[in-house]
């Protein structure tokens, strides 16, 4: 005979305190009803949380619920209602056979509304209707507001289990609410017999709280008399409290008021002993069962307690008629200054919170499962896209006979997830700004970019023309395809470009994300970390770096193989959010991409396999940058199951951006210098920028921590919002400028001419990117900077810039020309390099003088000219002085200010070559690659070209000493001129 | 009347279990002896650890001990012995008045020797002699080996307190050891009365352990019958155990064997109740005192327990004559399968460990205090050095009228600590390799480097000539000063150079550290992180980066101000050990520098103030790169208290390195190609490197993850130990090579010519560094690479390299010239740039042909030549083909292979200019800055120079298509030649 079943003989019902789908499915609930006399079961959010979020038993109901329910809360209710209804049906025979006295299932309202009576009433009604069973209890927390709701619900005929009761006073009010509800029903002629209610009093939690207080009074510093009083109370409060509550029930049932209701069929509101599991292991495991057996009670047990009682519980009527002993316990607590009211009050709050936490976690988990399910649906089509891209890449590169197929295969899922799911873009609108953007920093994966664009309908080109001379589809990305903001292929540059695109978006209020795909080997480039620092420090939270960590580079294993934690850790150290994912798991990938919506900057380091999807390429060395032959291609394609039909991209825009800024057409800036005044050209450049900033909203200036020297600080003072401190990181500075230019800004970067060498690869790639506008200013040119010495002298800058196809090179000699050339530079298409000088130079031009790119100024000319002095920048002044001295010595020289070094004013120089006996070019630059060679190459066939430029190692010294030593002074020019003329 | 004092009436002594210096100093020990009848005190390492390492009470004794004691262990003993001796003296009256029965102080041997009887005996003897007091107990742990030592010591007449006794059996053996020792003493006629011993039985720890076992048996799943048995045992084991031990004592004292000894004056070995503090707060705070009162016992209490007993302890004889109840407890434990023997055995081990941990911590702490004290002594002279450096910097920069004084002041302590303490170097031996090295990456702090070198006697120069044109003391460091390995001043380069120095040291077996001083703003340069990655990935554990985080840069606050954690965190993310210190606290700094000796790489991020030491400069903006005027200088100097006399550097060497490698003079490598055979010049370069590696031990090759393309992989296969994979980080690769070159290696770096632009600033600074040898190879030059497109084409490399003073530029056209020029390049001083071609080209030279830098080869020549075709590399072949076609058309052309682009073979070209009607230069390079302009500039005055070079944006295509499109094909050359000739 079951011990549990015999509790009934003493008027106590045995309930379980945890409903789960499993016990419905495995028949254990049914068995307990049959064998152990189980007559009820309760549930609560914490209990559901234990299984609903994780157990496979919920997979099927969840899948069904996902079809209908909206949101996580709806899902929870749908699942909970289904379980409860099923349990109700199992207990319905008990309910009927007991004439509605027993056989109940409890379902709790959301813990979030525990203090909101109206919301409680609304939700209780809804759940009651939803379940639609007579043996349902709606569980309502016994907070003060909750108790108010209880009365309303009971009056309406909804069965209520008032839960989270701790104190006797709260219990008393609950009982009172029931009585009032019954009285009102009677007054309104409603049936009393059909309404049931229980009040759930919590036990072990009281002891946990009170024992904690008691233990404070057992501390080593406490008076032994107090300790002696406290010691025997351990573990005895809850039972005393319950017995006192029971005394209240007994008293009420004996009252006339109750008798009157009972006569009309009202049922007693039974007391449920809840929280009956022993928490303190030094107490018996049936500590909260054995002493509380008696009529009109329910003992609701956790599984373990029920099992313990079934094993060795003593069944006897143990609820004393007289609660004197219980009262004594309470007195002692009071003597020990333990305030049970305060304890129970706090326990109610904690109890609510104990439901809220798991409930919220459950909702979050359900939301995840909901999202994952939605994702799974989407992910079910994306593998097909990835497969199609893989197949195209292999076909393309084999047709081309070269390329990097394996580097494309590793990122097929990444590209599919971006272009066909996460990115908001419109394949029909390549020029639109208000879309998410993509930068392929690992440019050698160009084939998969072309394939994705083609698949999406964004380009028309025949993929099989890859790498053919007249195809748009080049070996590495170039802006010949309008979806490519900047040429890539030299690694480590894309993230800086992405920064620039993001900055432009921020300036224009466009909430687009910029996705940049990098390789893992590429992360060895320091420029990646310059870009990472810039993005984090400037709060570019919509930049997303995705690292395709395929673990292999040309030379073998990438520095950290497949250990994504190293690169992820570095991004974190640079202030980024970093996620590590399986780059071939589309589910993982989509969830990670979704997380980038919350802001970052975010790095997704994706563990992938190079050559993924083709058995003989996967993770294999020796395949970097190698196309398959036709037989290999066919073997590979046979392994790839690509669906016939692809997926359409839903055109989306991110909004923002408003109307184009619509600047008024620029008017010439006001230039105001007196001739002879000495002003550094760098200062004039700064002043011009400031004035141009007023006319051009698209002018954005970037500094490499030398704004006080280059004088971009002048611009910053006036237009701080369009000034960016790029710190001592010239590569990223140029890359950011290129990104800005790609978004239609008119960027200007400035640093020492010498330090532009740092960014030469970026400038080179900028030249290949053919930006609409990009002004690069190099200050502190030449040996004339003086004492700082060779490390700070720009001596290679003209050679460097001239070697870039399409770049203009300007070199003003005074403030007027500096301002005018700055102005002209901003209107000139493509890259313009402006070279400025550290020292002050006299103004030689009238403020009204105009300067065109490709022009020059002849500063002295006469029919007697025997030689032409060709100079630019600082040497214009030494040449003019030499001209004066030579004139005094009877040698007439023409002087040309060749301020436009590229394009050169060939016509004027050729005329000089014809009209004089030779040209002497003087330049403060290495004697190779500068103005001298430019003149020699372009004018040399018409006349003799002589040349003074910097040779030998310069050193510190005064500007004058250095000009003298490197033969750029007036004295040396004159000496050379006399020698040439001789 | 004191309750504690009345214990005596029942034959029990009251001891304290914790001796501290404080109770000696504040008189509380004396008071307790007087008022509470205290008759003994014990000590142990854990107790000393609580105060000795931290308490200010130990400052004075420690200072005294530091003068004599060696090592931390010696310090500990000195301090402990002093305390114990003082306590002995306070208790000596008790000892005497009790006739040597009481009044003892216990001092414990090192816990590390608890299982080593011989060491225990040695140490006990030493401590006994050291303290030199009759009322001393040497405390020896009651492990089995310890008990053996006890017998020996007691026999020798040393008083022993056997401690860490838990089990009755162990106690019994202890008692037996005592008896045996006394018997032996008697046998040898030694006095028995003068020897004392106690056995310390531990109490509460037993209950903690046994209660834990009992609670397992009170778990919710345990059978209630077992629980019922376990519950009453809680907290009762220790007392039962003690009472059983006491029964053993009582029995022994009653034995005849003892009586015989007692008659000769032997004293009973008393039982000490130890570990008497209540651990479980639910037990009474005198739980372990009250029930164990009786004759021949000592109760040794912690302060709190003594206070509790004094307050409410019940004094009564409580040790029962009959231990039956105790035996019952033991029986019940056995029935519950609790093995008390196992428990006590484990407690002994744990007890020893519980002493070892705090003892070791204490020793570490004492070692720190010892080091700190030593450091403090050293630190007391270094501030004077720093002050002298500061004063010099200010004088120097004011005299120069420019410079960066504030950037020097921030690192004065750093530089002082390095050069005058931590670095092992010899100021008289600038050329020596086996010394620690210093790289000033923040080159603008050059003045303080010059000042430090001068202060150390390493240079002679007059500091006040700073920045003067003929002074060695330039504005930024250059190797004009032999202590400077490489020119710095362009930021972010020094750490790569340091890597190179460290690599050279590793190759040569020199255990030197390389210290590199960086600025904080400088850490924005990506190249710093390339270097960081390289150092960590290559295990360069002797590289030390010191970041002078002065928080300010030119443009205001540095990116992270004074928050050193950001940069430190980044170094850690890059695999470094990183320390954060106060860069002006010499003590801190020296300790941090010392930690770098254990290996790293290590970054020390030092929080400093720019302008430190001068009130109006400290942390002030607007002072970057600005010298003080004379009045400001004088104000500043008035604030700096610099001692008259500096500190001498002790010359030190690190050893290692052995003899110079003494390579045999190289012989020409064997070159073996058949004319007409097609071989890529890049392959020939790789083959030559491999052969040269056999001859030159100093040849070290670095790759940027393109070894399969540049063909340095060929070298790697033969000489893997001299091949370094520098990953995709070209800047660091060049910097490392420069460092290697500075240490006398012959480095070769190779990557695509296009990607050398990435490292242009590093190459520029390498040129300013004038390295003995540095070979740079750029492969994949020109449009002839074909399908990969413009990002991979080296089109600017010749311009870039020619613009560097002193760099040679070589461009072979076939395998023979490629091998020979590689060979020549390694012998050529300074930087040599070698340009190779991707595609295979026919061998046109005999294997025996020789090639000299500055030479050329005339491939076709006749008196009828009307034009000269000047080509190099790939265009030599198209020019030869054009020559053939033109000859067929009746136009005779001379063909020159100008393989030495710089220096150019001007003589041969000039002759051609004179002998033909013009020179047509054809080059696969941007038309600016390359061979064409070189020829025009240097030969143009003697004849007409025409030119075909790359213009316009290249794209993907076949090499042939691209050569055609950019007018470098034979067809186009012939067309141009005909046009020129017309």
């Amino acid at each position: 005979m079951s011990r549990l079943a015999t509790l009934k003989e003493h008027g106590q019902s045995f309930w379980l305190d945890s409903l789960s789908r499993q016990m419905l499915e495995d028949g254990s609930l049914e068995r307990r009803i049959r064998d152990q006399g189980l007559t009820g079961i309760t549930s609560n959010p914490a209990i559901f949380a234990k299984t609903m979020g994780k157990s496979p038993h919920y997979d099927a109901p969840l899948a069904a619920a996902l079809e209908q329910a909206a949101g996580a809360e709806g899902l929870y209710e749908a699942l909970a209602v289904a379980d409860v209804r099923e349990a109700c049906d199992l207990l319905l025979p008990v309910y009927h056979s007991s004439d509605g006295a027993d056989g109940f299932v409890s379902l709790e309202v959301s813990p979030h509304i525990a203090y909101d009576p109206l919301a409680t009433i609304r939700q209780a009604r809804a759940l009651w209707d939803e379940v639609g069973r007579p043996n349902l209890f709606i569980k309502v927390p016994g907070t003060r507001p909750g108790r108010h709701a209880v009365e309303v619900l009971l009056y309406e005929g909804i069965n209520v289990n008032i839960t989270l009761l701790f104190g006797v006073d709260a219990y008393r009010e609950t009982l009172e609410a029931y009585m009032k509800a019954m009285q009102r029903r009677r007054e309104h002629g409603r049936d009393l017999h059909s309404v049931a209610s229980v009040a759930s009093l919590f036990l072990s939690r009281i002891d946990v709280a009170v024992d904690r207080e008691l233990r404070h009074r057992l501390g080593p510093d406490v008076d032994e008399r107090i300790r002696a009083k406290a010691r025997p109370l351990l573990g005895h409060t809850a039972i005393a409290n319950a017995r006192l509550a029971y005394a209240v029930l007994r008293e009420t049932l004996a009252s006339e008021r109750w008798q009157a209701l009972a006569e009309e069929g009202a049922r007693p509101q039974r007391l449920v002993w809840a929280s009956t599991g022993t928490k303190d292991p030094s107490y018996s495991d049936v500590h909260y069962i054995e002493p509380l057996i008696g009529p009109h009670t329910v003992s609701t047990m956790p599984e373990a307690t029920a099992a313990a009682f079934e094993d060795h519980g003593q069944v006897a009527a143990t609820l004393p008629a007289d609660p004197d002993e219980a009262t004594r316990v309470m007195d002692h607590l009071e003597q020990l200054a333990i305030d049970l009211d305060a304890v129970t009050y706090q326990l109610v709050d904690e109890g609510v919170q104990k439901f809220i936490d798991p409930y919220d976690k459950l909702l979050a988990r359900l939301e995840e499962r909901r999202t994952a399910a939605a994702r799974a649906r989407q992910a079910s089509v994306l593998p097909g896209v990835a497969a199609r891209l893989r197949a195209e890449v292999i076909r393309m590169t084999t047709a081309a006979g070269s390329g990097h197929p394996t580097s494309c295969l590793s990122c097929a899922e990444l590209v599919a997830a971006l272009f066909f799911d996460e990115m908001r873009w419109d394949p029909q609108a390549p020029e639109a700004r208000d879309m998410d953007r993509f930068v392929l920093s690992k440019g050698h994966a160009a084939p998969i970019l072309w394939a994705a664009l083609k698949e999406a309908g964004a380009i028309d080109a025949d993929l099989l023309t890859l790498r053919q001379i007249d195809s748009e589809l080049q070996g590495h990305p170039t802006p010949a395809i309008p979806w490519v903001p900047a040429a890539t292929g030299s690694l480590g540059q894309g993230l800086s470009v992405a920064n620039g695109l993001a900055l432009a978006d921020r300036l224009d209020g466009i909430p687009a994300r910029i996705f940049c795909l990098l390789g893992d080997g590429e992360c060895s480039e320091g420029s990646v970390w310059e870009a990472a620092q810039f993005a984090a420090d400037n709060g570019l939270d919509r930049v997303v770096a995705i690292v395709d960590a395929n673990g292999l580079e040309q030379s073998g294993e990438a520095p950290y193989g497949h250990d994504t934690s190293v690169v992820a850790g570095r991004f974190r150290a640079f202030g980024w959010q970093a996620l590590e994912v399986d780059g071939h798991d589309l589910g993982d990938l989509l969830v990670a991409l979704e997380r980038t919506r919350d802001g970052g900057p975010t790095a997704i380091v994706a563990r992938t396999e190079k050559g993924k999807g083709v058995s003989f390429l996967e993770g294999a060395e020796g395949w970097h940058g190698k196309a398959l032959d036709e037989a290999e291609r066919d073997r590979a394609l046979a392994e790839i199951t690509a669906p016939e039909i692809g997926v359409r991209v839903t055109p989306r825009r991110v909004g923002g951006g408003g109307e184009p800024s619509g600047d008024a057409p620029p008017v010439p800036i006001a230039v105001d210098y007196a001739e002879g005044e000495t002003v550094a050209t760098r200062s004039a450049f700064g002043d011009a920028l400031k004035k141009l900033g007023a006319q051009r909203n698209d002018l954005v200036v970037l500094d490499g921590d030398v704004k006080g020297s280059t004088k971009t600080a002048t611009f910053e003072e006036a237009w701080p919002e369009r000034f960016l401190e790029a710190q001592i990181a010239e590569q990223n500075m140029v890359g950011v400028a290129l990104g800005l230019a790609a978004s239609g800004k008119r960027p200007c970067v400035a640093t020492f001419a010498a330090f532009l060498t740092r960014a030469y690869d970026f400038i080179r790639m900028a030249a290949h990117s053919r930006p609409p506008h990009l002004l690069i200013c190099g200050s502190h040119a030449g040996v004339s900077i003086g004492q700082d010495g060779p490390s700070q002298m720009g001596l290679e800058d003209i050679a460097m810039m001239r070697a870039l196809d399409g770049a203009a090179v300007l070199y003003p000699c005074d403030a007027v020309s500096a301002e005018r050339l700055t102005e002209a530079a901003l209107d000139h298409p493509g890259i313009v390099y402006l070279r400025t000088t550290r020292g002050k130079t006299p103004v030689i031009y009238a403020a009204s003088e105009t300067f065109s790119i490709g022009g020059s100024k002849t500063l002295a000319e006469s029919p007697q000219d025997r030689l032409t002095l060709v100079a630019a920048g600082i040497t214009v002044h030494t040449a003019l002085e030499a001209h004066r001295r030579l004139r005094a010595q009877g040698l007439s020289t023409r002087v040309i200010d060749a301020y436009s070094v590229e394009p050169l004013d060939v016509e004027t120089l050729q005329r000089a070559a014809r009209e004089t006996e030779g040209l002497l070019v003087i330049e403060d630059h290495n004697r190779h690659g500068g103005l001298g060679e430019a003149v020699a190459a372009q004018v040399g066939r018409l006349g003799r070209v002589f040349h003074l430029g910097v040779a030998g190692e310069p050193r510190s010294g005064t500007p004058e000493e250095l000009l003298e030593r490197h033969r750029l002074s007036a004295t040396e020019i004159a000496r050379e001129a006399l020698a040439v003329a001789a």
Side-chain angles (χ1 to χ4, degrees), chain A residues 1-10 12-16 32 35-39 286 289 299 301-311 313 315:
Chain A
M1 181 64 185
S2 162
R3 283 192 167 90
L4 288 162
T6 55
L7 286 170
K8 217 173 280 174
E9 295 167 10
H10 296 279
Q12 186 171 61
S13 295
F14 156 48
W15 287 7
L16 273 179
R32 281 174 180 281
D35 302 338
Q36 298 185 323
L38 182 83
T39 57
V286 290
I289 311 298
S299 191
M301 309 181 198
E303 298 264 10
T305 305
F309 194 85
E310 186 70 353
D311 181 59
V315 183

Side-chain angles (χ1 to χ4, degrees), chain A residues 65-108:
Chain A
L66 279 168
E67 297 298 321
Q68 305 139 2
E73 204 141 12
L75 264 185
Y76 166 75
E77 278 187 21
L79 295 175
V81 161
D83 285 5
V84 165
R85 195 188 286 136
E86 210 169 319
C88 281
D89 289 345
L90 288 175
L91 281 160
L92 216 48
V94 176
Y95 178 77
H96 289 310
S97 70
S98 66
D99 185 28
D102 214 341
F104 287 92
V105 182
S106 296
L107 172 62
E108 187 147 355

Side-chain angles (χ1 to χ4, degrees), chain A residues 653-956:
Chain A
R653 300 290 188 92
V654 302
E659 290 302 298
S661 60
D663 282 343
V667 294
I669 55 175
V671 174
D672 182 23
Y673 298 102
E675 283 181 49
E677 187 182 355
T678 62
V679 182
T681 52
R682 57 181 173 137
S683 301
F685 158 74
D687 289 343
L689 273 190
K690 174 180 162 179
K691 294 174 202 165
L692 290 160
Q695 297 189 13
R696 299 188 174 282
N697 257 323
D698 53 5
L699 175 56
V700 180
V701 177
L702 293 110
D703 171 45
D705 188 36
V706 284
K707 65 186 180 188
S709 300
T710 60
K711 300 302 178 189
T712 53
T714 313
F715 178 88
E716 183 191 19
E717 283 156 26
W719 315 105
E721 70 287 357
R722 282 184 279 137
F723 177 88
L724 281 148
E725 183 47 76
Q727 303 296 353
I728 308 175
E730 295 77 8
Q731 298 190 81
N732 176 67
M733 176 170 71
V734 171
V736 170
L738 181 58
L740 285 164
S743 281
K745 297 295 168 192
R746 220 173 274 258
C748 166
V749 305
T751 184
F752 282 24
F755 303 150
L756 285 172
T757 57
R758 193 58 157 267
Y760 193 26
D761 195 19
F762 276 70
I763 298 171
R764 177 179 79 90
M765 293 301 290
H768 287 308
S769 302
R770 307 275 156 178
H773 296 284
L774 174 56
L775 172 56
I776 301 176
C777 175
S779 71
H780 293 65
V783 298
S784 73
I785 66 159
Q787 290 86 345
D788 271 337
S791 66
Q792 320 289 304
M793 292 172 180
L795 293 169
E796 310 78 9
D797 52 326
I798 295 178
M800 180 172 103
M801 293 296 179
R802 282 184 66 246
L804 300 176
D805 188 84
V809 177
L810 308 176
Y811 187 11
C813 72
D814 82 340
V816 171
S817 54
E819 289 215 36
R820 289 290 172 225
L821 288 172
T822 303
E823 188 175 25
L826 281 183
D827 268 336
H828 193 73
I831 295 178
V832 180
Y833 175 57
L834 184 84
R835 189 181 211 227
T836 64
T837 301
R838 176 177 174 277
K840 289 182 182 179
T841 49
V843 172
I844 61 170
Y845 294 111
S848 58
E849 195 78 35
T850 59
F851 294 81
S852 64
I853 294 178
S856 70
K857 294 289 173 188
T858 303
L859 299 174
E861 180 173 11
S862 83
Q864 290 73 45
D865 291 344
R866 288 192 50 208
L867 272 181
T868 303
L869 305 180
V870 181
I874 185 87
T875 59
V876 168
H877 304 283
T878 54
L880 280 172
E881 174 61 20
H883 159 84
R884 283 187 286 270
R885 294 193 198 167
L886 288 166
R887 190 173 53 197
Q889 295 175 56
L891 181 68
S892 179
T893 53
R894 184 172 298 184
V895 181
I896 295 176
D897 173 6
Y899 63 81
S900 179
V901 177
E902 173 65 31
L904 200 59
D905 184 357
V906 177
E907 197 179 323
T908 301
L909 291 167
Q910 284 182 336
R911 186 166 64 84
R914 281 191 302 266
E915 293 174 3
T916 65
E917 295 166 25
L919 276 55
L920 173 58
V921 185
I922 314 107
E923 61 178 327
D924 191 359
H925 179 274
N926 186 286
R927 68 203 160 99
H928 292 161
L931 180 62
E933 292 193 345
V935 173
Q938 293 178 64
V939 188
R941 288 186 297 276
L942 290 176
R944 297 183 307 163
V945 178
F946 301 90
H947 186 204
L948 289 172
V950 178
E953 177 69 12
R955 50 195 304 137
S956 291

Side-chain angles (χ1 to χ4, degrees), chain A residues 551-576:
Chain A
L552 288 177
E553 46 188 26
Q554 199 214 59
S555 305
E557 193 171 75
Y560 311 104
H562 277 112
D563 180 359
T564 52
S565 70
V566 179
V567 169
R570 289 181 185 176
F571 271 106
R572 287 186 199 109
F574 277 76
W576 287 48

